[in-house]
Amino acid sequence: MNIIKLDAINSTNDYLKTLLQRQFVENFTIVSAENQTNGRGQMGSEWSVEQGKSLTFSVLVKDLLLEISHIFHLNVAVAVSVVEALSFLQIKDLAIKWPNDIMAEGKKIGGILIENSIKSDGEIFSIVGIGLNVNQKNFENLQKASSISILKNQEFDKQEILATILQNLGRNISLVMNKNTEPIWEKYHSVLYKKNVPMPFENTHGQKFMGIIQNVNQEGKLLIKLEDESVKKFNIKQIKMLY
């Protein structure tokens, strides 16, 4: 496992992508940065970090997915790996907010961005970006954000957390490789944020409605029971939860 440690970088995901264009990069190469100046979340949202306080890193994963329809298995493996690592710190109410936000006590403490590419020969490779608020204290006007340090009232060793996440990720990726994904899917659904709870949602047209999250299917679509008792599938670009 090759680990590249940087003091500051625009984005660890972008760094890995550029490296891939220039040279051969070993599978499971990790790039971590003390300061990430242009981190991104889902759908292009910015990920702001306090220098030296948060854990920001990316992992190259290749030779894993054989079919494009299996991509969300990796999302599940990564999110579960992070939650499992944080559970050892006895953080309360850990949850995964679909598709890839890490929540604790109703606050966002981390996020995952996975960027997939398909080569001309059909090979699928993924760059897994993870941002975790570890010792960050200042979130300006981000009322829905928090950190592990705030929740536990102490500071933590970021490298120890990184090592635990990577250990879990190696184990869970092995499950995906061996087509034994049931355990990670079971864990994912067991900590799915607001599952079976009536919640307000908003679609791309600005229309608001109530629904109850049932689960997430193998394609990564969110299944919501509507007020007329029907169950509808949504992808990430079609809907957002209002909380």
Side-chain angles (χ1 to χ4, degrees):
M1 185 179 291
N2 181 29
I3 301 180
I4 302 170
K5 295 184 178 181
L6 304 170
D7 288 330
I9 194 70
N10 288 342
S11 160
T12 53
N13 269 30
D14 288 348
Y15 183 92
L16 255 182
K17 280 189 284 187
T18 301
L19 201 62
L20 275 167
Q21 293 170 356
R22 294 176 177 173
Q23 65 187 62
F24 171 80
V25 181
E26 181 183 341
N27 200 10
F28 299 116
T29 291
I30 298 133
V31 176
S32 68
E34 282 295 300
N35 184 30
Q36 185 171 242
T37 59
N38 191 31
R40 301 188 311 282
Q42 289 287 346
M43 300 179 69
S45 60
E46 290 189 0
W47 179 264
S48 178
V49 298
E50 197 174 335
Q51 185 170 358
K53 299 292 186 179
S54 296
L55 181 60
T56 54
F57 65 100
S58 297
V59 184
L60 173 64
V61 179
K62 54 185 179 179
D63 304 323
L64 172 67
L65 303 170
L66 300 178
E67 298 178 26
I68 197 74
S69 60
H70 294 166
I71 279 178
F72 204 76
H73 290 316
L74 178 58
N75 293 57
V76 170
V78 174
V80 166
S81 297
V82 174
V83 167
E84 288 175 335
L86 297 181
S87 67
F88 285 108
L89 303 179
Q90 298 182 329
I91 298 172
K92 297 178 181 178
D93 301 325
L94 279 167
I96 300 167
K97 180 176 171 286
W98 175 83
N100 279 327
D101 284 346
I102 306 300
M103 310 289 291
E105 298 185 27
K107 301 280 189 177
K108 180 177 177 178
I109 61 170
I112 298 163
L113 176 65
I114 300 179
E115 298 180 279
N116 303 291
S117 298
I118 305 175
K119 291 186 176 180
S120 57
D121 61 1
E123 179 191 5
I124 301 171
F125 66 92
S126 306
I127 296 177
V128 177
I130 299 175
L132 196 60
N133 301 331
V134 180
N135 296 317
Q136 189 165 341
K137 298 292 197 304
N138 180 22
F139 291 97
E140 298 179 355
N141 297 319
L142 300 175
Q143 297 180 353
K144 296 177 182 177
S146 190
S147 69
I148 301 170
S149 179
I150 290 174
L151 296 176
K152 296 296 292 182
N153 197 29
Q154 68 180 88
E155 294 213 340
F156 291 87
D157 187 325
K158 294 184 300 178
Q159 296 309 308
E160 286 185 4
I161 295 174
L162 173 61
T164 305
I165 292 174
L166 293 176
Q167 183 180 28
N168 294 342
L169 188 58
R171 182 184 65 251
N172 290 328
I173 282 179
S174 293
L175 292 176
V176 176
M177 291 181 69
N178 294 321
K179 298 182 179 180
N180 181 23
T181 58
E182 185 176 343
I184 56 174
W185 273 98
E186 184 177 334
K187 177 66 176 181
Y188 183 90
H189 282 132
S190 73
V191 294
L192 187 59
Y193 188 63
K194 298 299 183 182
K195 182 181 178 183
N196 295 325
V197 177
M199 290 294 295
F201 296 88
E202 183 177 355
N203 63 23
T204 53
H205 303 292
Q207 298 170 325
K208 297 179 176 63
F209 62 94
M210 293 296 295
I212 301 175
I213 293 175
Q214 303 297 290
N215 55 36
V216 177
N217 70 12
Q218 301 272 309
E219 297 174 345
K221 292 183 179 180
L222 187 67
L223 275 63
I224 298 178
K225 180 185 284 187
L226 304 178
E227 292 181 277
D228 63 2
E229 296 297 314
S230 65
V231 176
K232 188 173 181 180
K233 302 174 186 177
F234 296 90
N235 65 39
I236 187 174
K237 295 181 180 180
Q238 292 179 314
I239 191 176
K240 66 178 179 180
M241 181 191 297
L242 305 176
Y243 72 105

